Amino acid sequence: ELKVEQNPLFLSMQEGKNYTIYCNYSTTSDRLYWYRQDPGKSLESLFVLLSNGAVKQEGRLMASLDTKARLSTLHITAAVHDLSATYFCAVEGGGADGLTFGKGTHLIIQP
Amino acid sequence: NAGVTQTPKFQVLKTGQSMTLQCAQDMNHEYMSWYRQDPGMGLRLIHYSVGAGITDQGEVPNGYNVSRSTTEDFPLRLLSAAPSQTSVYFCASRNRGVEKLFFGSGTQLSVL
């Protein structure tokens, strides 16, 4: 059974600081996704990581994938309030043709 | 562009009632799926379809039925609603070989 674990599950940080969210998964997969969800809203795709060593950046967010370690990271640089949201990682696999999601990281960025 | 459209946005049911959550996409996507989102649980796959006439179970299929008679539509049926089915439901679609999954806006369902 594919398991996806995110940590931390809750993060409160100050504007201007850097931090990293971690996503570990239990079985081999070459596709990892990061999504953002604002309160009461749907999920917005941030990154799709398709191979070992993949790195993608969009603004203050950078995601990377290490398939050998079964680990992805989402790094936030110089956080701003607008990045406050819940961030999910999701991995393809697990026996069904769908995504297995982590529980999400609830990120609050305070001025 | 409509994308993935879910209806209704909100629904309250009594235990034992039945209903259908509607999902339609206008992107000609082969793959469609239903997830439920519960607090602290992330999203869990209920059912999915890789094309018209083909459906399969996900992680939490019990209490739900689906069908895929057309490429565009993928309704989710609750035959006899239970309080444990109180959740937010998301429909999502994509093309095979194209990685990005497009999500609908969600249906908030309460079963009393």
Side-chain angles (χ1 to χ4, degrees):
Chain A
E1 179 188 353
L2 174 59
K3 295 189 184 222
V4 180
E5 293 188 356
Q6 282 182 243
N7 68 84
L9 297 181
F10 181 83
L11 177 58
S12 179
M13 56 191 292
Q14 288 184 319
E15 281 191 328
K17 299 291 187 181
N18 302 335
Y19 209 81
T20 301
I21 299 170
Y22 297 89
C23 175
N24 289 91
Y25 53 99
S26 61
T27 63
T28 301
S29 177
D30 289 331
R31 294 187 179 192
L32 190 134
Y33 306 77
W34 284 97
Y35 288 90
R36 168 182 173 147
Q37 186 179 38
D38 292 303
K41 303 294 186 182
S42 187
L43 281 80
E44 173 191 355
S45 177
L46 294 175
F47 301 109
V48 181
L49 302 170
L50 298 177
S51 61
N52 188 41
V55 177
K56 290 196 174 180
Q57 183 164 4
E58 179 77 29
R60 300 175 187 274
L61 300 178
M62 183 174 71
S64 66
L65 177 62
D66 182 342
T67 59
K68 294 179 181 177
R70 297 176 187 165
L71 171 68
S72 179
T73 60
L74 181 66
H75 186 74
I76 303 156
T77 301
V80 293
H81 178 71
D82 286 352
L83 291 178
S84 297
T86 299
Y87 293 86
F88 292 93
C89 67
V91 177
E92 192 143 351
D97 195 359
L99 302 183
T100 300
F101 281 80
K103 293 185 178 181
T105 296
H106 185 199
L107 175 63
I108 296 176
I109 299 170
Q110 298 174 344
Chain B
N1 291 336
V4 181
T5 303
Q6 287 185 238
T7 56
K9 293 190 182 299
F10 302 95
Q11 183 70 50
V12 178
L13 293 177
K14 294 181 180 178
T15 297
Q17 286 185 317
S18 62
M19 80 158 295
T20 300
L21 307 185
Q22 301 291 344
C23 176
Q25 52 89 11
D26 61 358
M27 298 173 281
N28 202 30
H29 285 170
E30 298 169 312
Y31 175 88
M32 296 186 74
S33 54
W34 277 101
Y35 290 84
R36 61 177 288 174
Q37 183 177 26
D38 301 295
M41 296 292 292
L43 280 78
R44 292 180 292 170
L45 182 64
I46 305 172
H47 284 286
Y48 65 97
S49 168
V50 298
I54 306 169
T55 64
D56 208 342
Q57 297 180 351
E59 180 185 356
V60 288
N62 292 340
Y64 307 96
N65 279 352
V66 292
S67 60
R68 184 92 180 272
S69 57
T70 67
T71 299
E72 294 77 21
D73 299 298
F74 190 45
L76 179 71
R77 297 183 184 87
L78 285 72
L79 299 179
S80 179
S84 61
Q85 294 177 305
T86 293
S87 187
V88 179
Y89 292 84
F90 288 100
C91 179
S93 74
R94 69 178 182 189
N95 257 334
R96 300 298 296 276
V98 175
E99 298 80 19
K100 184 176 179 180
L101 196 61
F102 292 82
F103 281 86
S105 58
T107 296
Q108 187 168 327
L109 174 67
S110 295
V111 182
L112 306 177

mmCIF file of all heavy atoms in Angstrom, chain A residues 1 31 33 35 37 40-45 48 50 88 92 95-104, chain B residues 31 35 37 40-43 45 48 50 57-59 90 94 96-101 103-106:
data_model
loop_
_atom_site.group_PDB
_atom_site.id
_atom_site.type_symbol
_atom_site.label_atom_id
_atom_site.label_comp_id
_atom_site.label_asym_id
_atom_site.label_seq_id
_atom_site.Cartn_x
_atom_site.Cartn_y
_atom_site.Cartn_z
ATOM 1 N N GLU A 1 0.843 -1.193 0.000
ATOM 2 C CA GLU A 1 0.000 0.000 0.000
ATOM 3 C C GLU A 1 0.882 1.248 0.000
ATOM 4 O O GLU A 1 1.784 1.373 0.807
ATOM 5 C CB GLU A 1 -0.904 0.001 1.230
ATOM 6 C CG GLU A 1 -1.803 1.230 1.322
ATOM 7 C CD GLU A 1 -2.540 1.284 2.651
ATOM 8 O OE1 GLU A 1 -2.469 0.325 3.440
ATOM 9 O OE2 GLU A 1 -3.188 2.309 2.910
ATOM 10 N N ARG A 31 6.422 9.927 -10.422
ATOM 11 C CA ARG A 31 5.629 11.127 -10.632
ATOM 12 C C ARG A 31 5.177 11.658 -9.280
ATOM 13 O O ARG A 31 4.517 10.958 -8.524
ATOM 14 C CB ARG A 31 4.410 10.840 -11.493
ATOM 15 C CG ARG A 31 4.745 10.438 -12.909
ATOM 16 C CD ARG A 31 3.498 10.331 -13.727
ATOM 17 N NE ARG A 31 3.818 9.975 -15.110
ATOM 18 C CZ ARG A 31 2.953 10.034 -16.100
ATOM 19 N NH1 ARG A 31 1.717 10.447 -15.865
ATOM 20 N NH2 ARG A 31 3.300 9.698 -17.323
ATOM 21 N N TYR A 33 3.479 15.222 -7.370
ATOM 22 C CA TYR A 33 2.744 16.452 -7.641
ATOM 23 C C TYR A 33 2.660 17.288 -6.368
ATOM 24 O O TYR A 33 2.552 16.745 -5.264
ATOM 25 C CB TYR A 33 1.315 16.124 -8.081
ATOM 26 C CG TYR A 33 1.215 15.171 -9.251
ATOM 27 C CD1 TYR A 33 1.412 13.804 -9.067
ATOM 28 C CD2 TYR A 33 0.907 15.620 -10.527
ATOM 29 C CE1 TYR A 33 1.324 12.924 -10.130
ATOM 30 C CE2 TYR A 33 0.805 14.746 -11.591
ATOM 31 C CZ TYR A 33 1.015 13.401 -11.388
ATOM 32 O OH TYR A 33 0.921 12.534 -12.444
ATOM 33 N N TYR A 35 0.293 20.488 -4.843
ATOM 34 C CA TYR A 35 -0.914 21.274 -5.039
ATOM 35 C C TYR A 35 -1.031 22.284 -3.908
ATOM 36 O O TYR A 35 -0.579 22.055 -2.789
ATOM 37 C CB TYR A 35 -2.165 20.395 -5.014
ATOM 38 C CG TYR A 35 -2.335 19.523 -6.229
ATOM 39 C CD1 TYR A 35 -1.788 18.248 -6.259
ATOM 40 C CD2 TYR A 35 -3.034 19.977 -7.344
ATOM 41 C CE1 TYR A 35 -1.936 17.440 -7.372
ATOM 42 C CE2 TYR A 35 -3.194 19.176 -8.472
ATOM 43 C CZ TYR A 35 -2.634 17.915 -8.468
ATOM 44 O OH TYR A 35 -2.786 17.121 -9.588
ATOM 45 N N GLN A 37 -4.030 24.592 -1.847
ATOM 46 C CA GLN A 37 -5.465 24.766 -1.621
ATOM 47 C C GLN A 37 -5.688 25.927 -0.664
ATOM 48 O O GLN A 37 -5.188 25.910 0.462
ATOM 49 C CB GLN A 37 -6.103 23.498 -1.063
ATOM 50 C CG GLN A 37 -7.621 23.598 -0.941
ATOM 51 C CD GLN A 37 -8.250 22.334 -0.405
ATOM 52 O OE1 GLN A 37 -7.706 21.680 0.474
ATOM 53 N NE2 GLN A 37 -9.423 21.983 -0.931
ATOM 54 N N GLY A 40 -11.652 26.731 1.596
ATOM 55 C CA GLY A 40 -12.923 26.678 0.890
ATOM 56 C C GLY A 40 -12.813 26.605 -0.612
ATOM 57 O O GLY A 40 -13.828 26.715 -1.310
ATOM 58 N N LYS A 41 -11.612 26.433 -1.114
ATOM 59 C CA LYS A 41 -11.405 26.428 -2.569
ATOM 60 C C LYS A 41 -10.958 25.058 -3.057
ATOM 61 O O LYS A 41 -10.731 24.141 -2.271
ATOM 62 C CB LYS A 41 -10.332 27.468 -2.944
ATOM 63 C CG LYS A 41 -10.654 28.875 -2.500
ATOM 64 C CD LYS A 41 -11.864 29.432 -3.214
ATOM 65 C CE LYS A 41 -12.092 30.886 -2.860
ATOM 66 N NZ LYS A 41 -13.309 31.427 -3.524
ATOM 67 N N SER A 42 -10.826 24.965 -4.360
ATOM 68 C CA SER A 42 -10.362 23.728 -4.966
ATOM 69 C C SER A 42 -8.834 23.658 -4.933
ATOM 70 O O SER A 42 -8.179 24.513 -4.350
ATOM 71 C CB SER A 42 -10.870 23.655 -6.408
ATOM 72 O OG SER A 42 -10.564 22.398 -6.963
ATOM 73 N N LEU A 43 -8.289 22.643 -5.550
ATOM 74 C CA LEU A 43 -6.842 22.453 -5.568
ATOM 75 C C LEU A 43 -6.247 23.034 -6.843
ATOM 76 O O LEU A 43 -6.760 22.814 -7.938
ATOM 77 C CB LEU A 43 -6.486 20.970 -5.471
ATOM 78 C CG LEU A 43 -6.551 20.372 -4.079
ATOM 79 C CD1 LEU A 43 -7.972 20.047 -3.696
ATOM 80 C CD2 LEU A 43 -5.668 19.134 -3.978
ATOM 81 N N GLU A 44 -5.135 23.710 -6.666
ATOM 82 C CA GLU A 44 -4.419 24.313 -7.780
ATOM 83 C C GLU A 44 -3.098 23.593 -7.962
ATOM 84 O O GLU A 44 -2.340 23.432 -7.001
ATOM 85 C CB GLU A 44 -4.174 25.796 -7.493
ATOM 86 C CG GLU A 44 -3.300 26.501 -8.501
ATOM 87 C CD GLU A 44 -2.879 27.877 -8.029
ATOM 88 O OE1 GLU A 44 -3.347 28.316 -6.953
ATOM 89 O OE2 GLU A 44 -2.061 28.516 -8.710
ATOM 90 N N SER A 45 -2.832 23.152 -9.178
ATOM 91 C CA SER A 45 -1.581 22.453 -9.440
ATOM 92 C C SER A 45 -0.414 23.429 -9.402
ATOM 93 O O SER A 45 -0.444 24.484 -10.034
ATOM 94 C CB SER A 45 -1.656 21.783 -10.814
ATOM 95 O OG SER A 45 -0.427 21.160 -11.128
ATOM 96 N N VAL A 48 4.663 19.490 -11.188
ATOM 97 C CA VAL A 48 4.687 18.074 -11.513
ATOM 98 C C VAL A 48 6.148 17.694 -11.683
ATOM 99 O O VAL A 48 6.849 18.274 -12.515
ATOM 100 C CB VAL A 48 3.902 17.770 -12.804
ATOM 101 C CG1 VAL A 48 3.939 16.282 -13.088
ATOM 102 C CG2 VAL A 48 2.475 18.263 -12.695
ATOM 103 N N LEU A 50 8.763 14.705 -12.585
ATOM 104 C CA LEU A 50 8.656 13.456 -13.330
ATOM 105 C C LEU A 50 9.879 12.554 -13.254
ATOM 106 O O LEU A 50 9.818 11.415 -13.710
ATOM 107 C CB LEU A 50 8.358 13.756 -14.804
ATOM 108 C CG LEU A 50 7.054 14.483 -15.070
ATOM 109 C CD1 LEU A 50 6.913 14.793 -16.553
ATOM 110 C CD2 LEU A 50 5.864 13.650 -14.592
ATOM 111 N N PHE A 88 -0.368 20.299 -0.541
ATOM 112 C CA PHE A 88 -0.432 18.847 -0.597
ATOM 113 C C PHE A 88 0.603 18.320 -1.580
ATOM 114 O O PHE A 88 0.772 18.878 -2.667
ATOM 115 C CB PHE A 88 -1.804 18.375 -1.089
ATOM 116 C CG PHE A 88 -2.940 18.636 -0.139
ATOM 117 C CD1 PHE A 88 -3.703 19.796 -0.254
ATOM 118 C CD2 PHE A 88 -3.253 17.726 0.850
ATOM 119 C CE1 PHE A 88 -4.758 20.035 0.620
ATOM 120 C CE2 PHE A 88 -4.301 17.955 1.724
ATOM 121 C CZ PHE A 88 -5.051 19.107 1.614
ATOM 122 N N GLU A 92 1.746 9.260 -7.702
ATOM 123 C CA GLU A 92 1.019 8.349 -8.561
ATOM 124 C C GLU A 92 1.418 6.922 -8.227
ATOM 125 O O GLU A 92 2.592 6.624 -8.017
ATOM 126 C CB GLU A 92 1.348 8.642 -10.013
ATOM 127 C CG GLU A 92 0.435 7.949 -10.988
ATOM 128 C CD GLU A 92 0.134 8.818 -12.172
ATOM 129 O OE1 GLU A 92 0.498 10.005 -12.144
ATOM 130 O OE2 GLU A 92 -0.458 8.313 -13.129
ATOM 131 N N GLY A 95 -1.578 1.020 -6.856
ATOM 132 C CA GLY A 95 -2.504 0.007 -7.332
ATOM 133 C C GLY A 95 -3.708 0.553 -8.044
ATOM 134 O O GLY A 95 -4.433 -0.170 -8.713
ATOM 135 N N ALA A 96 -3.986 1.819 -7.906
ATOM 136 C CA ALA A 96 -5.120 2.420 -8.621
ATOM 137 C C ALA A 96 -4.587 3.515 -9.526
ATOM 138 O O ALA A 96 -3.550 4.111 -9.238
ATOM 139 C CB ALA A 96 -6.137 2.989 -7.643
ATOM 140 N N ASP A 97 -5.272 3.772 -10.569
ATOM 141 C CA ASP A 97 -4.829 4.786 -11.511
ATOM 142 C C ASP A 97 -5.256 6.153 -11.008
ATOM 143 O O ASP A 97 -6.099 6.805 -11.593
ATOM 144 C CB ASP A 97 -5.428 4.502 -12.890
ATOM 145 C CG ASP A 97 -4.722 5.302 -13.959
ATOM 146 O OD1 ASP A 97 -3.800 6.070 -13.620
ATOM 147 O OD2 ASP A 97 -5.103 5.162 -15.126
ATOM 148 N N GLY A 98 -4.689 6.540 -9.912
ATOM 149 C CA GLY A 98 -5.021 7.817 -9.319
ATOM 150 C C GLY A 98 -3.882 8.258 -8.440
ATOM 151 O O GLY A 98 -2.824 7.638 -8.401
ATOM 152 N N LEU A 99 -4.097 9.341 -7.740
ATOM 153 C CA LEU A 99 -3.072 9.900 -6.875
ATOM 154 C C LEU A 99 -3.335 9.548 -5.424
ATOM 155 O O LEU A 99 -4.487 9.514 -4.983
ATOM 156 C CB LEU A 99 -3.023 11.423 -7.020
ATOM 157 C CG LEU A 99 -2.754 11.977 -8.422
ATOM 158 C CD1 LEU A 99 -2.660 13.493 -8.375
ATOM 159 C CD2 LEU A 99 -1.486 11.379 -8.991
ATOM 160 N N THR A 100 -2.265 9.295 -4.683
ATOM 161 C CA THR A 100 -2.334 9.156 -3.234
ATOM 162 C C THR A 100 -1.780 10.435 -2.633
ATOM 163 O O THR A 100 -0.632 10.807 -2.901
ATOM 164 C CB THR A 100 -1.537 7.943 -2.759
ATOM 165 O OG1 THR A 100 -2.076 6.766 -3.367
ATOM 166 C CG2 THR A 100 -1.616 7.804 -1.248
ATOM 167 N N PHE A 101 -2.594 11.093 -1.834
ATOM 168 C CA PHE A 101 -2.232 12.397 -1.273
ATOM 169 C C PHE A 101 -1.667 12.272 0.125
ATOM 170 O O PHE A 101 -2.061 11.381 0.903
ATOM 171 C CB PHE A 101 -3.474 13.286 -1.203
ATOM 172 C CG PHE A 101 -3.857 13.900 -2.511
ATOM 173 C CD1 PHE A 101 -4.554 13.168 -3.462
ATOM 174 C CD2 PHE A 101 -3.533 15.225 -2.798
ATOM 175 C CE1 PHE A 101 -4.911 13.731 -4.670
ATOM 176 C CE2 PHE A 101 -3.901 15.797 -4.005
ATOM 177 C CZ PHE A 101 -4.586 15.047 -4.947
ATOM 178 N N GLY A 102 -0.765 13.181 0.451
ATOM 179 C CA GLY A 102 -0.410 13.388 1.842
ATOM 180 C C GLY A 102 -1.533 14.128 2.547
ATOM 181 O O GLY A 102 -2.501 14.561 1.928
ATOM 182 N N LYS A 103 -1.395 14.278 3.865
ATOM 183 C CA LYS A 103 -2.458 14.905 4.648
ATOM 184 C C LYS A 103 -2.460 16.429 4.524
ATOM 185 O O LYS A 103 -3.382 17.080 4.992
ATOM 186 C CB LYS A 103 -2.333 14.489 6.110
ATOM 187 C CG LYS A 103 -2.619 13.007 6.319
ATOM 188 C CD LYS A 103 -2.602 12.633 7.787
ATOM 189 C CE LYS A 103 -2.933 11.149 7.945
ATOM 190 N NZ LYS A 103 -2.941 10.741 9.371
ATOM 191 N N GLY A 104 -1.421 16.958 3.922
ATOM 192 C CA GLY A 104 -1.380 18.403 3.724
ATOM 193 C C GLY A 104 -0.593 19.125 4.803
ATOM 194 O O GLY A 104 -0.535 18.676 5.955
ATOM 195 N N TYR B 31 -9.380 10.481 -18.629
ATOM 196 C CA TYR B 31 -9.345 10.054 -17.238
ATOM 197 C C TYR B 31 -10.174 10.997 -16.369
ATOM 198 O O TYR B 31 -10.000 12.222 -16.444
ATOM 199 C CB TYR B 31 -7.897 10.034 -16.746
ATOM 200 C CG TYR B 31 -7.746 9.718 -15.275
ATOM 201 C CD1 TYR B 31 -7.645 8.412 -14.824
ATOM 202 C CD2 TYR B 31 -7.689 10.739 -14.332
ATOM 203 C CE1 TYR B 31 -7.506 8.119 -13.483
ATOM 204 C CE2 TYR B 31 -7.553 10.465 -12.987
ATOM 205 C CZ TYR B 31 -7.459 9.149 -12.569
ATOM 206 O OH TYR B 31 -7.320 8.876 -11.235
ATOM 207 N N TYR B 35 -12.639 12.225 -5.617
ATOM 208 C CA TYR B 35 -11.939 12.187 -4.340
ATOM 209 C C TYR B 35 -12.866 12.752 -3.268
ATOM 210 O O TYR B 35 -13.723 13.585 -3.538
ATOM 211 C CB TYR B 35 -10.671 13.048 -4.379
ATOM 212 C CG TYR B 35 -9.559 12.511 -5.247
ATOM 213 C CD1 TYR B 35 -9.530 12.750 -6.612
ATOM 214 C CD2 TYR B 35 -8.525 11.769 -4.682
ATOM 215 C CE1 TYR B 35 -8.501 12.265 -7.401
ATOM 216 C CE2 TYR B 35 -7.483 11.284 -5.459
ATOM 217 C CZ TYR B 35 -7.486 11.537 -6.820
ATOM 218 O OH TYR B 35 -6.463 11.048 -7.597
ATOM 219 N N GLN B 37 -12.492 14.686 0.568
ATOM 220 C CA GLN B 37 -11.539 15.357 1.437
ATOM 221 C C GLN B 37 -12.148 15.518 2.814
ATOM 222 O O GLN B 37 -13.182 16.150 2.980
ATOM 223 C CB GLN B 37 -11.138 16.729 0.889
ATOM 224 C CG GLN B 37 -10.086 17.420 1.744
ATOM 225 C CD GLN B 37 -9.634 18.744 1.182
ATOM 226 O OE1 GLN B 37 -10.353 19.424 0.454
ATOM 227 N NE2 GLN B 37 -8.405 19.125 1.493
ATOM 228 N N GLY B 40 -7.840 16.711 8.063
ATOM 229 C CA GLY B 40 -6.699 15.948 8.538
ATOM 230 C C GLY B 40 -6.404 14.674 7.773
ATOM 231 O O GLY B 40 -5.503 13.919 8.147
ATOM 232 N N MET B 41 -7.161 14.432 6.682
ATOM 233 C CA MET B 41 -6.991 13.162 5.954
ATOM 234 C C MET B 41 -6.447 13.357 4.550
ATOM 235 O O MET B 41 -6.226 12.395 3.837
ATOM 236 C CB MET B 41 -8.334 12.428 5.862
ATOM 237 C CG MET B 41 -8.891 11.997 7.187
ATOM 238 S SD MET B 41 -7.900 10.693 7.942
ATOM 239 C CE MET B 41 -8.210 9.355 6.819
ATOM 240 N N GLY B 42 -6.270 14.564 4.120
ATOM 241 C CA GLY B 42 -5.903 14.753 2.720
ATOM 242 C C GLY B 42 -7.051 14.362 1.822
ATOM 243 O O GLY B 42 -8.216 14.335 2.238
ATOM 244 N N LEU B 43 -6.756 14.030 0.586
ATOM 245 C CA LEU B 43 -7.771 13.575 -0.361
ATOM 246 C C LEU B 43 -7.624 12.087 -0.575
ATOM 247 O O LEU B 43 -6.508 11.570 -0.688
ATOM 248 C CB LEU B 43 -7.629 14.291 -1.707
ATOM 249 C CG LEU B 43 -8.200 15.692 -1.801
ATOM 250 C CD1 LEU B 43 -7.277 16.699 -1.140
ATOM 251 C CD2 LEU B 43 -8.423 16.068 -3.259
ATOM 252 N N LEU B 45 -9.007 8.723 -2.936
ATOM 253 C CA LEU B 45 -9.630 8.354 -4.199
ATOM 254 C C LEU B 45 -10.809 7.418 -3.961
ATOM 255 O O LEU B 45 -10.669 6.385 -3.306
ATOM 256 C CB LEU B 45 -8.579 7.685 -5.092
ATOM 257 C CG LEU B 45 -9.005 7.251 -6.482
ATOM 258 C CD1 LEU B 45 -9.393 8.451 -7.332
ATOM 259 C CD2 LEU B 45 -7.883 6.471 -7.146
ATOM 260 N N TYR B 48 -12.542 5.866 -10.158
ATOM 261 C CA TYR B 48 -11.964 6.547 -11.286
ATOM 262 C C TYR B 48 -12.358 5.834 -12.578
ATOM 263 O O TYR B 48 -12.886 4.710 -12.565
ATOM 264 C CB TYR B 48 -10.433 6.633 -11.170
ATOM 265 C CG TYR B 48 -9.714 5.308 -11.215
ATOM 266 C CD1 TYR B 48 -9.163 4.828 -12.403
ATOM 267 C CD2 TYR B 48 -9.563 4.550 -10.065
ATOM 268 C CE1 TYR B 48 -8.498 3.617 -12.442
ATOM 269 C CE2 TYR B 48 -8.900 3.333 -10.094
ATOM 270 C CZ TYR B 48 -8.362 2.873 -11.269
ATOM 271 O OH TYR B 48 -7.697 1.679 -11.310
ATOM 272 N N VAL B 50 -10.946 5.439 -16.801
ATOM 273 C CA VAL B 50 -9.917 5.744 -17.794
ATOM 274 C C VAL B 50 -10.519 5.935 -19.184
ATOM 275 O O VAL B 50 -9.777 6.119 -20.153
ATOM 276 C CB VAL B 50 -8.813 4.671 -17.825
ATOM 277 C CG1 VAL B 50 -8.104 4.624 -16.476
ATOM 278 C CG2 VAL B 50 -9.392 3.310 -18.182
ATOM 279 N N GLN B 57 -12.388 0.930 -8.863
ATOM 280 C CA GLN B 57 -12.443 1.407 -7.488
ATOM 281 C C GLN B 57 -11.124 2.021 -7.076
ATOM 282 O O GLN B 57 -10.055 1.585 -7.488
ATOM 283 C CB GLN B 57 -12.782 0.249 -6.557
ATOM 284 C CG GLN B 57 -14.140 -0.362 -6.805
ATOM 285 C CD GLN B 57 -14.430 -1.511 -5.839
ATOM 286 O OE1 GLN B 57 -13.550 -1.952 -5.108
ATOM 287 N NE2 GLN B 57 -15.652 -1.984 -5.857
ATOM 288 N N GLY B 58 -11.234 3.001 -6.212
ATOM 289 C CA GLY B 58 -10.062 3.589 -5.597
ATOM 290 C C GLY B 58 -9.891 3.082 -4.181
ATOM 291 O O GLY B 58 -10.234 1.941 -3.867
ATOM 292 N N GLU B 59 -9.427 3.950 -3.319
ATOM 293 C CA GLU B 59 -9.106 3.577 -1.937
ATOM 294 C C GLU B 59 -10.340 3.397 -1.067
ATOM 295 O O GLU B 59 -10.385 2.536 -0.188
ATOM 296 C CB GLU B 59 -8.193 4.655 -1.338
ATOM 297 C CG GLU B 59 -7.776 4.423 0.093
ATOM 298 C CD GLU B 59 -6.983 5.588 0.663
ATOM 299 O OE1 GLU B 59 -6.686 6.544 -0.085
ATOM 300 O OE2 GLU B 59 -6.673 5.555 1.870
ATOM 301 N N PHE B 90 -14.458 16.117 -4.531
ATOM 302 C CA PHE B 90 -13.840 16.755 -5.688
ATOM 303 C C PHE B 90 -13.801 15.783 -6.856
ATOM 304 O O PHE B 90 -13.410 14.620 -6.707
ATOM 305 C CB PHE B 90 -12.408 17.202 -5.371
ATOM 306 C CG PHE B 90 -12.320 18.386 -4.462
ATOM 307 C CD1 PHE B 90 -12.053 18.221 -3.110
ATOM 308 C CD2 PHE B 90 -12.501 19.668 -4.961
ATOM 309 C CE1 PHE B 90 -11.964 19.317 -2.266
ATOM 310 C CE2 PHE B 90 -12.416 20.769 -4.124
ATOM 311 C CZ PHE B 90 -12.155 20.587 -2.779
ATOM 312 N N ARG B 94 -8.006 14.443 -16.376
ATOM 313 C CA ARG B 94 -6.793 14.720 -17.129
ATOM 314 C C ARG B 94 -6.769 13.779 -18.332
ATOM 315 O O ARG B 94 -7.528 12.809 -18.410
ATOM 316 C CB ARG B 94 -5.532 14.498 -16.295
ATOM 317 C CG ARG B 94 -5.266 13.059 -15.958
ATOM 318 C CD ARG B 94 -3.985 12.898 -15.187
ATOM 319 N NE ARG B 94 -3.707 11.496 -14.890
ATOM 320 C CZ ARG B 94 -2.752 11.075 -14.092
ATOM 321 N NH1 ARG B 94 -1.965 11.938 -13.501
ATOM 322 N NH2 ARG B 94 -2.557 9.794 -13.878
ATOM 323 N N ARG B 96 -4.623 10.951 -20.458
ATOM 324 C CA ARG B 96 -3.544 10.002 -20.222
ATOM 325 C C ARG B 96 -2.292 10.520 -20.908
ATOM 326 O O ARG B 96 -2.334 10.982 -22.026
ATOM 327 C CB ARG B 96 -3.891 8.620 -20.778
ATOM 328 C CG ARG B 96 -5.106 7.996 -20.181
ATOM 329 C CD ARG B 96 -4.984 7.735 -18.700
ATOM 330 N NE ARG B 96 -3.963 6.766 -18.330
ATOM 331 C CZ ARG B 96 -4.156 5.455 -18.334
ATOM 332 N NH1 ARG B 96 -5.299 4.948 -18.714
ATOM 333 N NH2 ARG B 96 -3.172 4.658 -17.963
ATOM 334 N N GLY B 97 -1.172 10.448 -20.224
ATOM 335 C CA GLY B 97 0.074 10.931 -20.791
ATOM 336 C C GLY B 97 0.311 12.407 -20.550
ATOM 337 O O GLY B 97 1.394 12.893 -20.755
ATOM 338 N N VAL B 98 -0.720 13.107 -20.082
ATOM 339 C CA VAL B 98 -0.554 14.510 -19.687
ATOM 340 C C VAL B 98 -0.735 14.542 -18.184
ATOM 341 O O VAL B 98 -1.744 14.098 -17.664
ATOM 342 C CB VAL B 98 -1.570 15.425 -20.377
ATOM 343 C CG1 VAL B 98 -1.449 16.856 -19.858
ATOM 344 C CG2 VAL B 98 -1.389 15.382 -21.873
ATOM 345 N N GLU B 99 0.224 15.103 -17.489
ATOM 346 C CA GLU B 99 0.277 14.842 -16.076
ATOM 347 C C GLU B 99 -0.674 15.669 -15.222
ATOM 348 O O GLU B 99 -1.129 15.229 -14.188
ATOM 349 C CB GLU B 99 1.710 15.068 -15.583
ATOM 350 C CG GLU B 99 2.709 14.145 -16.207
ATOM 351 C CD GLU B 99 3.139 14.596 -17.596
ATOM 352 O OE1 GLU B 99 2.938 15.782 -17.925
ATOM 353 O OE2 GLU B 99 3.624 13.750 -18.353
ATOM 354 N N LYS B 100 -0.947 16.895 -15.643
ATOM 355 C CA LYS B 100 -1.683 17.802 -14.773
ATOM 356 C C LYS B 100 -3.120 17.336 -14.575
ATOM 357 O O LYS B 100 -3.830 17.036 -15.522
ATOM 358 C CB LYS B 100 -1.669 19.211 -15.347
ATOM 359 C CG LYS B 100 -2.329 20.250 -14.470
ATOM 360 C CD LYS B 100 -2.172 21.623 -15.093
ATOM 361 C CE LYS B 100 -2.856 22.679 -14.229
ATOM 362 N NZ LYS B 100 -2.704 24.025 -14.815
ATOM 363 N N LEU B 101 -3.534 17.274 -13.313
ATOM 364 C CA LEU B 101 -4.893 16.896 -12.955
ATOM 365 C C LEU B 101 -5.683 18.165 -12.682
ATOM 366 O O LEU B 101 -5.277 18.992 -11.859
ATOM 367 C CB LEU B 101 -4.840 16.006 -11.713
ATOM 368 C CG LEU B 101 -6.054 15.175 -11.342
ATOM 369 C CD1 LEU B 101 -6.406 14.195 -12.436
ATOM 370 C CD2 LEU B 101 -5.798 14.432 -10.045
ATOM 371 N N PHE B 103 -8.973 19.948 -11.219
ATOM 372 C CA PHE B 103 -9.992 19.705 -10.206
ATOM 373 C C PHE B 103 -11.196 20.614 -10.404
ATOM 374 O O PHE B 103 -11.070 21.779 -10.814
ATOM 375 C CB PHE B 103 -9.429 19.948 -8.806
ATOM 376 C CG PHE B 103 -8.593 18.823 -8.293
ATOM 377 C CD1 PHE B 103 -7.243 18.750 -8.599
ATOM 378 C CD2 PHE B 103 -9.152 17.823 -7.514
ATOM 379 C CE1 PHE B 103 -6.463 17.709 -8.126
ATOM 380 C CE2 PHE B 103 -8.386 16.774 -7.041
ATOM 381 C CZ PHE B 103 -7.042 16.711 -7.346
ATOM 382 N N GLY B 104 -12.382 20.069 -10.086
ATOM 383 C CA GLY B 104 -13.571 20.891 -9.998
ATOM 384 C C GLY B 104 -13.566 21.685 -8.707
ATOM 385 O O GLY B 104 -12.661 21.563 -7.885
ATOM 386 N N SER B 105 -14.602 22.489 -8.512
ATOM 387 C CA SER B 105 -14.654 23.401 -7.364
ATOM 388 C C SER B 105 -15.148 22.733 -6.098
ATOM 389 O O SER B 105 -15.097 23.335 -5.024
ATOM 390 C CB SER B 105 -15.542 24.604 -7.691
ATOM 391 O OG SER B 105 -16.850 24.154 -8.046
ATOM 392 N N GLY B 106 -15.619 21.510 -6.189
ATOM 393 C CA GLY B 106 -15.991 20.773 -4.996
ATOM 394 C C GLY B 106 -17.467 20.819 -4.665
ATOM 395 O O GLY B 106 -18.174 21.765 -5.026
#
